[in-house]
Structure formats: C-alpha cells, structure tokens
Amino acid sequence: MAMEQSYIMIKPDGVQRGLVGEIIKRFEQRGYALKGLKIMNVQRHLAEKHYEDLSSKPFFPALVDYIISGPVVAMVWEGKGVVATGRKMIGATNPLASEPGTIRGDFAIEVGRNVIHGSDSVESAQREIALWFPEGVTEWTQVAKPWIYE
Ligand code: UDP
Ligand code: MG
C-alpha cells in the first residue's frame, strides 16, 4: 500500500495554549503514524521559505512574525489519505468557517491565530517535509496496521 505523508505543524499559539497533546491525540487515534516530531524556534528565513507562495499577500509579514513568535511543533504523519484527511481534521483556514469537531473549529477564532498548519497536497507535503526535516524522519513499522487497514 502506498503510504502518504503530511507535514503538520502546531503553530506558536497552539503550543502556548497547551494544545500539543490534544492535537497529537487526534492524529494518533485516527490511526495515523507519527514519523517525525520536534519542538523548535523558527528562523525567519525558514518561515519565509515555508510560506513563499504567499509572499505577495498583504498578511505575509504578520504571518511570518506569528510563526516565529514562539516555538512550533513540527511533525510528519503517515497513512492512507493523510494529506486530505489531515486538512479535513484541521478545518477551514478561517476558524469562524471551520466546522465544530475540526481542530480550528474547536480551538480557534481568528485566521491569524489558527493553531495548526497542514500540507495542502502531496507535492507540498514532500517540499515541506524536506524543508522542516532535512535530517530525515524516523522509520518504524506500525504494528497495528492490520487493525487499521484491511
Ligand atoms: N492567513 C492569514 N490571513 C489570511 C489568510 C491566511 O493570516 O487572510 C494565514 C493563516 O495563518 C493561514 C496561513 O496564513 O493558516 C496560510 O494560509 P493558507 O491560505 O495556506 O491557509 P491554510 O493552508 O493554513 O489553511
Ligand atoms: Mg496552506
């Protein structure tokens, strides 16, 4: 089975608000496998590179300042459909439009404090994982796989 990976990042507000465990729990309980995990302060150039597609947007300077304002939790989650399903679990970009039950819909109000990032495509995920985990991720076999996948 082709296993997909997504880059998921708890933003500084999520860390400061004590949501790290809650967010990890949701991905873990869904059945996804944690392949990379670290807490880190982000250099400005890394935040700018991560969001380079948005560099012409008026909110870009504030977005970069937000991402470097405190530590983030950088993660790689693996499993079937994790990119699209991760985005569904996270909810709409603007938390006021995020459905209750999603991470943003349960824990956020404003777009500039929306707690979490998730890759928007498999290609973005590959780019973001290479950017945030240049050292590589951790290989391990999820022994529960036959109980999660048929
Ligand atoms: N953002 C913002 N104002 C906007 C749109 C986006 O501050 O009007 C921020 C927000 O934190 C968002 C991030 O920029 O999560 C990246 O925007 P994108 O459109 O990629 O949303 P996402 O993929 O995070 O849902
Ligand atoms: Mg995005």
Side-chain angles (χ1 to χ4, degrees):
M1 189 191 307
M3 277 298 175
E4 193 173 289
Q5 294 184 332
S6 187
Y7 177 64
I8 303 292
M9 177 170 72
I10 306 172
K11 294 175 177 179
D13 50 336
V15 175
Q16 295 289 357
R17 292 177 55 200
L19 297 173
V20 173
E22 171 67 30
I23 289 169
I24 289 177
K25 178 171 157 244
R26 291 184 180 210
F27 281 85
E28 200 175 35
Q29 291 188 337
R30 186 71 189 251
Y32 291 126
L34 184 59
K35 295 293 176 97
L37 173 68
K38 60 188 173 185
I39 186 163
M40 61 187 284
N41 288 306
V42 183
Q43 299 283 322
R44 183 174 291 275
H45 68 83
L46 178 57
E48 288 172 347
K49 183 89 187 143
H50 174 76
Y51 283 122
E52 66 185 1
D53 291 353
L54 300 173
S55 61
S56 63
K57 303 283 186 191
F59 59 81
F60 182 74
L63 172 58
V64 171
D65 285 345
Y66 164 42
I67 296 302
I68 69 171
S69 65
V72 302
V73 172
M75 297 180 281
V76 175
W77 285 93
E78 184 179 284
K80 189 174 183 181
V82 66
V83 171
T85 301
R87 294 277 295 186
K88 282 189 201 155
M89 290 165 66
I90 287 169
T93 302
N94 183 346
L96 287 183
S98 302
E99 294 298 327
T102 65
I103 293 166
R104 288 170 175 163
D106 287 348
F107 302 117
I109 295 172
E110 289 204 323
V111 70
R113 295 290 183 273
N114 63 359
V115 171
I116 184 168
H117 164 83
S119 305
D120 63 8
S121 68
V122 172
E123 296 68 39
S124 302
Q126 287 165 351
R127 182 185 83 84
E128 292 168 3
I129 291 166
L131 186 65
W132 290 89
F133 287 89
E135 71 276 25
V137 298
T138 299
E139 301 292 339
W140 61 281
T141 301
Q142 186 182 23
V143 296
K145 244 184 194 166
W147 303 102
I148 297 167
Y149 301 99
E150 61 177 339

